[in-house]
Amino acid sequence: MKHPRKPLKGSLTSLIVSTPLLLASSFVSAQDSGFYLGGSYGESYGRLSRAEVAQTFQDNGRQVLTLDKSDEDNAGKLLLGYDINQIFAAEFSYFHLGQYEFNTLLAPAQNMRGRSKVEGFGLDLVTKMPITDKLSALLRAGVARTSVAQSFS
């Protein structure tokens, strides 16, 4: 009995969760408008399923004997923003969500290595809504271009 397979968006699937610690700071003396820099840093976790890898190779006449994987990495984001006025700001950002690898030994004798790297750029419009003198709410809307580069050898 053959089990139905889920559609894959590539040979190496990953679920990436980033929990960055925000380290944003402003380098402008103007109160109402000006440029600022920010960033975040944290860990990212990829999910490489041993069963999905084994099934992919089995469909091609190979059997997975061993599978070593590295699915944790550092993640980060750098941003350059501009305060247009007290309410609106625009931000351009670069983010890197990690690099993940796996090594597997197959039967008949073959070694396979795979890598995946996730990064991208973003452009956001930020709206700041003051709640009190020292507390504001943020509303962020934007677009992002993400790249997932994969290689196998």
Side-chain angles (χ1 to χ4, degrees), residues 20-25 37-41 76-79:
L21 173 65
L22 183 60
L23 301 172
S25 60
L37 295 173
S40 60
Y41 179 79
K77 178 179 180 179
L78 294 174
L79 66 89

Side-chain angles (χ1 to χ4, degrees), residues 5-13 52-53 56:
R5 288 185 33 181
K6 298 178 189 173
L8 300 177
K9 290 187 177 182
S11 299
L12 180 65
T13 61
E52 285 181 3
V53 171
T56 299

Side-chain angles (χ1 to χ4, degrees), residues 77 91-95 120-124 142-145:
K77 178 179 180 179
E91 294 180 353
F92 176 77
S93 62
Y94 165 78
F95 54 89
F121 296 92
L123 181 62
D124 294 338
V143 294
R145 170 80 169 127

Side-chain angles (χ1 to χ4, degrees), residues 104-144:
T104 186
L105 179 61
L106 304 171
Q110 182 182 4
N111 189 21
M112 177 68 79
R113 179 179 181 160
R115 289 186 184 147
S116 180
K117 181 179 179 182
V118 183
E119 60 188 355
F121 296 92
L123 181 62
D124 294 338
L125 179 63
V126 180
T127 303
K128 301 168 279 187
M129 298 171 279
I131 296 173
T132 67
D133 289 340
K134 296 185 179 188
L135 180 66
S136 294
L138 295 177
L139 176 64
R140 176 181 305 272
V143 294

Side-chain angles (χ1 to χ4, degrees), residues 27-82:
F27 297 106
V28 172
S29 60
Q31 297 257 341
D32 296 337
S33 64
F35 286 99
Y36 59 92
L37 295 173
S40 60
Y41 179 79
E43 292 183 8
S44 63
Y45 304 96
R47 185 190 65 161
L48 179 62
S49 168
R50 186 177 306 271
E52 285 181 3
V53 171
Q55 184 64 46
T56 299
F57 286 115
Q58 186 176 5
D59 290 347
N60 291 301
R62 306 265 191 222
Q63 179 183 1
V64 174
L65 301 175
T66 63
L67 174 65
D68 297 321
K69 61 182 181 172
S70 170
D71 56 1
E72 294 182 15
D73 199 8
N74 296 323
K77 178 179 180 179
L78 294 174
L79 66 89
L80 173 65
Y82 181 75

